[in-house]
Amino acid sequence: VQLQASGGGLVQAGGSLRLSCAASGRTFSRYDMAWFRQAPGKEREFVAAINWSGGSTYYADSVKGRFTISRDNAKNTVYLQMNSLKPEDTAVYYCAAGPYGRTSEREFFYWGQGTLVTVSS
C-alpha cells in the first residue's frame, strides 16, 4: 500500500488542523494505521493509532484529549484531527501502516512521506 499524507501547515497556538493520509490499493481496510511525528532534532515518536475497523484507538499521553484519529475505509483515508495545538506539537507528521497495539516505528512497514505542522506561539 502507498500512503500520501497532507494537511499540514502553519497555525497559531490553540488552533486546529486536520491531517489526511490517503492510501492506494484495495486492501487499505485490512491495515491498522497510525500517526507518528518527528520534531527538529528529535527522534520520531508515536502519536495515535486506529485498528482496521476504526473501532479501537489509542494515543500518546502528550496528545490525549486534543487529537482524534479516525478513518474512512470507503475513501481509503485515515485522519488526524488536532485541536488545541501547542508549539511543542511542531513536527513532521507521518502516517504508517502496521500492527495495532505497537508504538515502535520499527514495527510499521508502510510509511507516507510526511507533512509539516508548525505551531507558532
Side-chain angles (χ1 to χ4, degrees):
V1 63
Q2 292 184 323
L3 305 174
Q4 179 82 26
S6 62
L10 174 64
V11 63
Q12 288 189 330
S16 298
L17 278 176
R18 188 176 81 156
L19 306 183
S20 299
C21 176
S24 62
R26 292 175 292 178
T27 58
F28 171 74
S29 62
R30 299 180 185 178
Y31 291 98
D32 303 322
M33 298 293 296
W35 287 94
F36 286 76
R37 67 186 181 185
Q38 187 167 20
K42 295 187 177 181
E43 294 186 351
R44 190 152 53 183
E45 64 176 4
F46 169 81
V47 174
I50 188 166
N51 76 333
W52 65 273
S53 69
S56 295
T57 60
Y58 68 97
Y59 300 89
D61 288 343
S62 58
V63 306
K64 201 173 295 182
R66 300 188 298 122
F67 290 12
T68 302
I69 188 171
S70 62
R71 67 189 296 161
D72 185 338
N73 285 342
K75 295 183 178 180
N76 279 10
T77 303
V78 62
Y79 304 98
L80 185 68
Q81 178 67 45
M82 305 185 295
N83 298 330
S84 302
L85 283 161
K86 304 175 181 179
E88 51 263 44
D89 294 318
T90 294
V92 177
Y93 284 72
Y94 300 88
C95 56
Y100 186 73
R102 305 296 186 180
T103 59
S104 170
E105 62 174 311
R106 289 187 293 271
E107 299 191 77
F108 287 76
F109 32 81
Y110 295 115
W111 290 87
Q113 86 289 0
T115 185
L116 176 62
V117 173
T118 303
V119 184
S120 63
S121 57

